Amino acid sequence: MKESYPKKVVIIDDDPTGSQTISNLPVLLEWPAALLEREFREPEAGFFILTNSRSMPGEEAAAVNREVGENLARASRMTGKDFIVISRSDSTLRGHYPAETEALKSALKNALGHVYQCDVIMPFFGEGGRYTRDDIHWVARQGQWIPVGETEFARDPVFGYQSSNLREWVAEKTGLDPATVRSISLDDLRYGGPEWVYAILTQDTSTPVIVNAVTYDDVETFMQGSLQAEENGYRFMYRTAASFVAVRTGAASKKLLTTRDIYQEKTSPEAHGGLVIAGSYVNLTTQQLEKAQELERVRGIEADVNQLVEPLEARDYIKEISRRAAAVIGAGKTAVIYTTREYIRAESLAGNLQQGTAIADSMAEIAAHVGVKPRFVLAKGGITSHVLATRAFRITRARVLGQVYPGVSVWEPDRSSALYGIPYLVFPGNVGDADTLKEVLKIMEVV
């Protein structure tokens, strides 16, 4: 990002995993106008607002985004500073689109008169092997590119979809004719450059624009064209994955964190063990949990979701899991608490959301009652990591130190948190391969 460019970049993230490409930016888990005003006055290029809206029904997610937009408008007026918005969501297309972007645009138009030229859809996430080519979005696994519509992510019980072609995906979500959805191709980027990007973005139409990208150079070229348009008064509602955030803020992580970077010599190998809470249900997480438990200093503790879906009725069970984890951590081992791997589907989309929230709340109760300070906490899964941060550890603001593995962020919680001085790792359910959790734990356990 140009140092002279005056606009603050505000990343409104529907779960806590969008910081997985950057370092040294703040993340907020609350968004009152006074707090946003303070962040507008800080020197960083931007900041995250973590709403956890992916865990909510669509109407509630839209209401939260509307509230965030209204508070951003107040903070902007109080500071006299302009801003751009990135609505960061999942690189595998799970989320409340277009409900969230429409709510944000409406709130900012009503409060500040901002008129958005169009939505920009860019789910490229290089670190996670998510690429868009010929308008098809792909998931790379073991050297193979798989159309996203053929993956387990497309069969998500809440956000499922059919289309791998992003024009058709937008049509599926919005009701638009796919022929009206515009596209910036790899040839547009690589032969037309920023000037051609500018021309496409500033066409006299409000239909969404798909951005193809398979490298960070593609993202950089697009960004330069979009900056030219912004500097000429155009506004865009960016709906992207994490890679665009890194390029747009200029806060991309340069290297992976080492053990020394993370602990800053605060922790010795003789200290307590770590705590891992895994709520993600994707198959990759299941594979990672199996491999991680091969480590000598790891002890797995399974939490039966059938006993967690009603937190008030599960109090004794929750306390028992907490006691078992405390004993493991106190003995210098890492406790890995994970939900039973079979996903129990409810009878409706709303029921699936409610059930997922109840299980996440119970996992947070388990973490809150452990009673022994762990060396680190690792949360596996987006919703899980947000609920743990807010309910179990009272994190309202943290700084992203960087990544211990591509896509796995390490936070430094502020003093007000119960985790002050303890690294908090946010590990998405869909990142890495079968050995990734095992390798991360080796770094965190100093073995």
Side-chain angles (χ1 to χ4, degrees):
M1 178 178 174
K2 297 179 181 179
E3 290 185 4
S4 61
Y5 197 67
K7 294 183 181 180
K8 184 77 79 169
V9 182
V10 181
I11 307 102
I12 302 173
D13 203 340
D14 65 357
D15 81 356
T17 62
S19 62
Q20 62 202 139
T21 57
I22 60 91
S23 58
N24 204 35
L25 284 185
V27 293
L28 308 180
L29 289 90
E30 297 180 347
W31 47 88
L35 184 58
L36 300 182
E37 177 189 0
R38 186 181 74 180
E39 294 300 334
F40 268 102
R41 298 186 189 280
E42 294 294 325
E44 290 90 354
F47 59 93
F48 286 79
I49 300 173
L50 310 184
T51 65
N52 200 34
S53 57
R54 203 182 302 174
S55 71
M56 304 171 185
E59 290 184 2
E60 185 179 349
V64 166
N65 276 263
R66 194 172 299 112
E67 178 186 12
V68 170
E70 291 167 352
N71 287 353
L72 282 171
R74 294 188 186 98
S76 177
R77 287 195 297 265
M78 287 187 285
T79 59
K81 293 188 176 183
D82 200 358
F83 60 96
I84 72 142
V85 169
I86 299 174
S87 177
R88 206 294 307 188
S89 192
D90 181 42
S91 64
T92 56
L93 308 179
R94 297 169 298 170
H96 292 292
Y97 178 80
E100 294 184 322
T101 54
E102 290 301 310
L104 282 167
K105 288 187 291 187
S106 175
L108 294 172
K109 181 179 180 181
N110 291 339
L112 295 174
H114 289 180
V115 176
Y116 289 84
Q117 181 77 2
C118 61
D119 290 352
V120 172
I121 313 295
M122 191 181 202
F124 168 78
F125 175 42
E127 291 83 350
R130 319 287 194 251
Y131 308 114
T132 309
R133 183 179 64 192
D134 298 328
D135 296 339
I136 305 295
H137 196 50
W138 305 82
V139 174
R141 284 180 175 168
Q142 298 177 334
Q144 292 186 318
W145 283 26
I146 305 167
V148 70
E150 298 176 14
T151 68
E152 63 180 306
F153 307 116
R155 299 188 294 275
D156 186 274
V158 177
F159 299 111
Y161 52 89
Q162 300 293 322
S163 305
S164 298
N165 183 297
L166 288 183
R167 290 175 184 256
E168 296 172 1
W169 178 83
V170 169
E172 190 177 332
K173 295 297 181 180
T174 64
L176 291 169
D177 182 342
T180 67
V181 179
R182 295 175 290 155
S183 172
I184 296 175
S185 69
L186 294 179
D187 283 350
D188 291 330
L189 294 166
R190 296 174 182 183
Y191 298 107
E195 293 74 19
W196 190 239
V197 171
Y198 174 91
I200 295 173
L201 287 177
T202 57
Q203 289 175 357
D204 188 18
T205 178
S206 62
T207 56
V209 176
I210 303 305
V211 183
N212 287 266
V214 297
T215 69
Y216 265 96
D217 285 344
D218 297 330
V219 181
E220 179 71 29
T221 299
F222 169 77
M223 188 199 70
Q224 293 301 329
S226 65
L227 274 176
Q228 290 179 22
E230 287 179 25
E231 290 169 348
N232 281 287
Y234 292 93
R235 292 186 183 274
F236 307 100
M237 180 56 65
Y238 297 102
R239 180 73 169 187
T240 80
S243 292
F244 180 71
V245 173
V247 174
R248 186 61 179 81
T249 59
S253 298
K254 307 301 183 197
K255 65 181 183 66
L256 296 178
L257 298 170
T258 66
T259 302
R260 184 181 295 272
D261 295 330
I262 296 168
Y263 289 118
Q264 300 173 3
E265 302 183 357
K266 294 177 182 176
T267 305
S268 69
E270 293 76 30
H272 286 163
L275 172 63
V276 176
I277 301 285
S280 169
Y281 277 98
V282 299
N283 289 333
L284 178 57
T285 292
T286 302
Q287 296 168 19
Q288 290 171 343
L289 287 167
E290 291 173 355
K291 298 291 285 185
Q293 290 179 75
E294 295 174 357
L295 292 173
E296 189 277 329
R297 292 177 64 168
V298 166
R299 298 290 183 271
I301 302 173
E302 185 178 67
D304 184 352
V305 295
N306 291 290
Q307 298 195 54
L308 297 180
V309 291
E310 296 292 343
L312 292 178
E313 298 177 8
R315 286 177 178 173
D316 290 341
Y317 183 67
I318 286 170
K319 290 178 181 178
E320 173 59 24
I321 297 291
S322 299
R323 282 194 294 268
R324 291 171 60 189
V328 171
I329 295 167
K333 312 290 185 182
T334 287
V336 177
I337 305 173
Y338 58 93
T339 52
T340 43
R341 296 289 84 202
E342 182 181 357
Y343 188 89
I344 303 171
R345 290 178 180 267
E347 296 180 356
S348 66
L349 183 150
N352 281 317
L353 283 170
Q354 291 170 359
Q355 181 172 279
T357 298
I359 293 169
D361 286 346
S362 290
M363 295 295 273
E365 286 296 308
I366 290 171
H369 285 92
V370 166
V372 175
K373 281 205 169 185
R375 179 181 303 172
F376 66 89
V377 174
L378 185 154
K380 193 75 170 70
I383 293 171
T384 300
S385 57
H386 190 280
V387 174
L388 279 181
T390 54
R391 290 179 62 91
F393 305 120
R394 303 188 305 278
I395 300 175
T396 58
R397 186 182 188 276
R399 182 167 296 276
V400 182
L401 293 180
Q403 288 71 49
V404 67
Y405 178 92
V408 181
S409 290
V410 181
W411 292 6
E412 183 180 58
D414 276 10
R415 287 181 177 275
S416 60
S417 166
L419 279 192
Y420 177 65
I422 298 173
Y424 185 65
L425 282 71
V426 176
F427 195 143
N430 58 6
V431 162
D433 57 27
D435 287 315
T436 302
L437 176 58
K438 182 178 181 179
E439 295 305 313
V440 169
L441 292 182
K442 286 180 180 179
I443 295 171
M444 299 307 297
E445 283 287 6
V446 203
V447 297

